[in-house]
């Protein structure tokens, strides 16, 4: 499978790394063995203490940057600042890219008109890497990400390649956010013209493990507060269309976090999010949620007190 596009470097693959000794080698191997080779590879060590990137010292096929620990958004931005590719593809150091991933992204580029965002799809795995099968890319084109989101598609993390000039103009990832920073970026880019979705084959294998930063309910709480504040400030668009679609998307994140916090003995934080987002959920018409959530939060409060 060969796709040719006339430009210097198509993709900059950026891998933020933090204490990933057990997974980083497999991640980098999955990138090095891509069928499509018109890319540069940038590893950003975000203050690791396990020397996990030492094995790449002296490698000529990649760049290793080191910085103080400031979180994944900061590490990705650091890589983006030196990137030369037309598109930025971010993959976490515990995840994998099937060998055809970049070829599928390149095929989407060949079919589109310099889309702002190309979105793949992912499968989750635990300890053993999944056996995946290739098929000719099934690609759907949308006006922008918001049109795709209105149809039920959510894009984030290693699913997407973002055009570098648009990423830079948007200010990159919000470095204050440690969770949901990828969702925030996608919402801020929601109305940028051109969104290509690779329905199949899978282009990303996401490792699910307890130590993942995305599993932290406390960070989820702060991430959802930030998403709500961004929406309220109009950063996700001011048109009626943008406000309506992004309201629904932010609402989904908030409702999931409120219920998870309430059920896991964090009732006060759950109630804070509930009250902050009451007007948003009421506007969406989520009356069943608004009536039921206080019951779940109350039960969580009783349970939390019983464990003292």
């Amino acid at each position: 499978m060969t796709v040719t596009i006339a430009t210097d470097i198509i993709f900059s693959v950026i891998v933020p790394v933090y204490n990933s000794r057990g997974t980083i080698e497999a991640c980098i191997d999955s990138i090095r063995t891509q069928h499509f080779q018109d890319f540069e590879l940038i590893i950003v060590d975000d203050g690791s203490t396990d020397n996990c990137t030492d094995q790449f010292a002296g490698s000529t096929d990649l760049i290793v940057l080191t910085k103080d620990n400031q979180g994944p958004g900061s590490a990705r931005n650091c890589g983006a600042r030196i990137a030369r590719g037309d598109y930025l593809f971010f993959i976490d150091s515990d995840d994998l890219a099937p060998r055809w991933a970049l070829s599928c992204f390149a095929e989407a580029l060949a079919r589109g008109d310099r889309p702002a965002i190309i979105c793949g799809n992912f499968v989750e795995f635990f300890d053993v890497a999944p056996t995946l099968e290739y098929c000719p890319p099934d690609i759907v084109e949308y006006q922008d990400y918001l049109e795709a989101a209105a149809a039920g598609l959510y894009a984030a993390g290693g699913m997407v390649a973002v055009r570098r000039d648009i990423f830079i103009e948007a200010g990159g990832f919000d470095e204050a956010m440690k969770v949901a920073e990828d969702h925030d970026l996608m919402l801020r880019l929601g109305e940028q013209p051109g969104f290509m979705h690779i329905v199949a084959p899978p282009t990303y294998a996401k490792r699910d493990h307890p130590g993942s930063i995305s599993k932290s309910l406390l960070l989820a709480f702060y991430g959802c507060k930030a998403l709500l504040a961004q929406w309220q400030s109009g950063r996700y668009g001011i048109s009626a269309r943008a406000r309506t679609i992004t309201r629904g998307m932010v609402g989904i994140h908030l409702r999931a976090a409120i219920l998870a916090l309430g059920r896991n003995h964090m009732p006060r934080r759950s109630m804070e999010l509930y009250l902050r987002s009451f007007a948003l959920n009421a506007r969406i018409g989520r009356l069943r949620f608004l009536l039921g959530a206080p019951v779940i939060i109350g039960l969580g409060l009783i349970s939390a007190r019983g464990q003292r």
Side-chain angles (χ1 to χ4, degrees):
M1 177 175 52
T2 302
V3 179
T4 302
I5 300 177
T7 188
D8 293 331
I9 297 177
I10 306 297
F11 300 107
S12 292
V13 181
I14 299 174
V15 186
V17 178
Y18 180 70
N19 289 349
S20 303
R21 176 171 288 277
T23 61
I24 182 64
E25 186 174 2
C27 174
I28 298 305
D29 283 347
S30 77
I31 299 166
R32 280 172 159 164
T33 55
Q34 288 292 301
H35 293 154
F36 185 84
Q37 285 287 307
D38 191 359
F39 69 89
E40 63 176 355
L41 175 55
I42 302 171
I43 300 174
V44 185
D45 190 332
D46 190 41
S48 297
T49 58
D50 64 352
N51 302 315
C52 59
T53 58
D54 285 359
Q55 61 187 296
F56 304 114
S59 297
T60 58
D61 62 339
L62 55 80
I63 300 168
V64 179
L65 305 177
T66 59
K67 60 184 293 296
D68 293 338
N69 178 245
Q70 294 175 298
S74 172
R76 296 186 191 111
N77 287 344
C78 179
R81 281 192 287 271
I82 71 158
R84 296 175 296 153
D86 282 351
Y87 285 80
L88 308 176
F89 175 57
F90 301 98
I91 178 171
D92 289 343
S93 58
D94 51 357
D95 298 334
L96 305 171
R99 292 188 300 274
W100 54 77
L102 292 182
S103 292
C104 290
F105 283 119
E107 178 65 29
L109 284 179
R111 297 187 193 182
D113 182 19
R114 283 184 55 78
I117 301 165
I118 310 163
C119 176
N121 67 96
F122 72 97
V123 295
E124 285 191 313
F125 71 100
F126 294 91
D127 295 327
V128 180
T131 300
L132 303 176
E133 293 186 3
Y134 173 77
C135 66
D138 178 10
I139 301 172
V140 179
E141 187 171 2
Y142 293 89
Q143 168 188 335
D144 55 24
Y145 173 52
L146 293 189
E147 183 183 23
L153 175 65
Y154 280 73
M159 295 171 65
V160 300
V162 181
R163 218 170 74 201
R164 179 166 56 93
D165 60 332
I166 290 174
F167 177 89
I168 293 172
E169 183 180 350
F173 290 97
D174 186 332
E175 299 186 7
M177 298 178 67
K178 308 306 179 187
V179 168
E181 76 286 349
D182 50 350
H183 294 289
D184 169 70
L185 175 67
M186 292 300 299
L187 290 170
R188 285 189 279 119
L189 299 179
E191 292 186 287
Q192 290 288 343
F195 183 87
M196 310 286 288
H197 178 215
I198 303 166
V199 180
T203 57
Y204 192 63
K206 180 176 176 58
R207 189 186 302 267
D208 188 353
H209 58 89
S212 171
I213 191 172
S214 63
K215 299 291 186 181
S216 168
L217 284 177
L218 183 59
L219 289 179
F221 165 76
Y222 287 114
C224 283
K225 278 181 64 175
L227 288 177
L228 179 59
Q230 295 279 62
W231 182 83
Q232 291 171 333
S233 70
R235 291 209 67 195
Y236 299 154
I238 59 174
S239 69
R241 170 180 178 262
R243 296 290 288 173
T244 298
I245 296 173
T246 59
R247 179 192 297 118
M249 297 169 73
V250 171
I252 288 174
H253 286 291
L254 288 163
R255 290 191 295 275
I258 288 166
L259 295 177
L261 289 163
R263 289 168 176 156
N264 287 274
H265 315 302
M266 301 179 74
R268 289 182 174 80
R269 297 198 185 276
S270 179
M271 180 56 75
E272 181 180 344
L273 276 188
Y274 174 83
L275 294 174
R276 285 176 179 268
S277 63
F278 188 93
L280 180 145
N281 280 301
R283 184 70 180 273
I284 296 172
R286 298 291 183 179
L287 301 181
R288 183 177 176 182
F289 167 78
L290 291 174
L291 293 173
V295 176
I296 294 173
I297 296 171
L299 292 174
L301 180 60
I302 294 171
S303 177
R305 286 175 175 172
Q307 292 187 2
R308 292 176 182 173

